[in-house]
Amino acid sequence: MAEQPRNGKVTVVGAGFYGSTTALRLAEYDVFETVVLTDIVEGKPEGLALDINQSRPIEGFETRVVGVGGGSYEGTEGSDVVVITAGLPRKPGMSRMDLIETNAKIVRQVAENVAQSSPDAVVIVVSNPLDEMTALAQLATGFPKERVMGQAGMLDTARFSNNVAEELGVPVSSVRTLTLGSHGDTMVPVPSRCTVDGKPLADVLAADRIEHLVQRTRNGGAEVVALLKTGSAYYAPSAAAARMARAVMEDSGAVMPVCAWVDGEYGIAGVYLGVEAEIGRQGVRRVVEGDLTESELAGLREAAEAVRAKQADVAEL
């Protein structure tokens, strides 16, 4: 069999649980030439990269992982995609917004370094609070807005789908769900676009149970944080970020729920918000508008205004 081609370089900034798991997933796809893992801690990304590389003969992938410690961006130059995971995770009882001031300083510094070392990269932000940090990363890089997006809707939608599958005792592959809005209190799960085996969710689940699952989805991150006691979720979030990075590199045109710049869609303009978008080599090709009920549309517009106020504040941090 002919060996498959591997192309491009993906850098993951932050070698915590989220970043290192994202690097592993990207490497195991075996479609990239190089995955670079960088962190301010000396030795940690190098050690993780060595460990991942030593798994290649077992798992059968050739993508090479490079670790860069000490806050250096040497070796990341010319990255096609950069995933920013840097920042503090939540602790039990904390909201994502509690992290805003601390993580803003970190994300701004990272984004400025990325702009210098990889001026043509597509940036995927996963640091919390997500919507605000995505807006800040775009300001700090100065990149076109379509080349900076955030990972939120992919994760929240996956949580919603898993919740529905567990509630009904059906395979997750039979469930289709969607969440829009912010990655936080104004998240907008979209039951009208959800199906189980092609049937509308409302036909197979009572309204009160749907609302219960919507609330559980909205609180999905906090539920994990409360159980872990230290740290926050990283298996499902890393899967979401890695899929987005792959869609960019493969110029796939896949439609995914992401945090993207909205400029007139749904009657909303001038804000980063969770919407469906077509993803390609230059980032967000276009925002995809879908049918929403009046209450869902109202929720999305409410989310936009809540996020808009915070994104204005974050520009000063």
Side-chain angles (χ1 to χ4, degrees):
M1 289 178 63
E3 187 173 316
Q4 67 176 19
R6 292 171 195 83
N7 299 298
K9 180 192 291 185
V10 183
T11 288
V12 180
V13 182
F17 287 129
Y18 194 140
S20 59
T21 309
T22 302
L24 174 64
R25 292 189 188 280
L26 290 168
E28 288 187 338
Y29 285 153
D30 205 25
V31 298
F32 305 108
E33 188 70 35
T34 310
V35 175
V36 183
L37 182 61
T38 183
D39 197 275
I40 58 170
V41 179
E42 189 74 51
K44 184 177 184 181
E46 293 93 334
L48 290 166
L50 178 59
D51 193 13
I52 293 172
N53 285 331
Q54 289 171 350
S55 76
R56 293 188 298 171
I58 300 168
E59 289 299 316
F61 63 93
E62 295 291 342
T63 297
R64 183 166 172 265
V65 182
V66 177
V68 182
S72 172
Y73 284 76
E74 187 176 343
T76 71
E77 298 92 347
S79 293
D80 299 286
V81 184
V82 177
V83 182
I84 300 178
T85 77
L88 298 182
R90 280 196 286 172
K91 296 177 181 177
M94 289 179 73
S95 73
R96 294 182 178 94
M97 292 308 300
D98 291 334
L99 300 170
I100 190 165
E101 202 160 320
T102 300
N103 282 355
K105 294 187 178 85
I106 297 170
V107 169
R108 179 179 287 279
Q109 184 179 38
V110 168
E112 289 170 351
N113 282 316
V114 168
Q116 287 186 344
S117 59
S118 299
D120 298 318
V122 172
V123 176
I124 299 170
V125 180
V126 301
S127 307
N128 275 317
L130 186 282
D131 307 277
E132 291 74 18
M133 293 303 103
T134 303
L136 177 60
Q138 189 277 321
L139 288 170
T141 57
F143 287 178
K145 292 181 175 70
E146 66 269 16
R147 283 207 280 126
V148 181
M149 56 183 158
Q151 185 285 111
M154 283 281 287
L155 168 61
D156 296 325
T157 296
R159 285 174 170 161
F160 197 10
S161 293
N162 187 66
N163 291 342
V164 170
E166 287 194 340
E167 175 83 7
L168 293 172
V170 299
V172 291
S173 60
S174 69
V175 179
R176 296 286 180 272
T177 68
L178 178 64
T179 63
L180 304 174
S182 78
H183 189 49
D185 294 339
T186 50
M187 186 189 304
V188 185
V190 187
S192 72
R193 297 276 299 281
C194 301
T195 61
V196 180
D197 282 325
K199 300 172 185 173
L201 184 60
D203 289 357
V204 295
L205 205 55
D208 64 326
R209 295 311 297 168
I210 293 175
E211 180 57 28
H212 168 74
L213 297 180
V214 164
Q215 288 301 327
R216 189 179 181 197
T217 300
R218 200 170 273 132
N219 297 322
E223 183 178 358
V224 174
V225 169
L227 290 166
L228 290 177
K229 304 294 191 295
T230 58
S232 55
Y234 54 92
Y235 287 125
S238 66
R243 284 286 172 179
M244 289 169 64
R246 181 171 183 168
V248 171
M249 278 305 305
E250 294 183 336
D251 198 24
S252 71
V255 176
M256 299 176 166
V258 302
C259 179
W261 184 255
V262 179
D263 194 19
E265 296 84 2
Y266 297 109
I268 300 166
V271 67
Y272 269 99
L273 189 67
V275 289
E276 289 180 287
E278 186 179 302
I279 307 302
R281 191 62 190 81
Q282 291 303 309
V284 174
R285 290 182 184 172
R286 65 186 182 95
V287 171
V288 178
E289 286 187 83
D291 293 332
L292 302 178
T293 66
E294 285 187 20
S295 64
E296 290 163 352
L297 181 57
L300 187 62
R301 289 175 174 166
E302 180 185 333
E305 294 315 307
V307 169
R308 189 192 308 278
K310 292 293 184 184
Q311 287 180 4
D313 293 342
V314 89
E316 307 302 320
L317 295 177

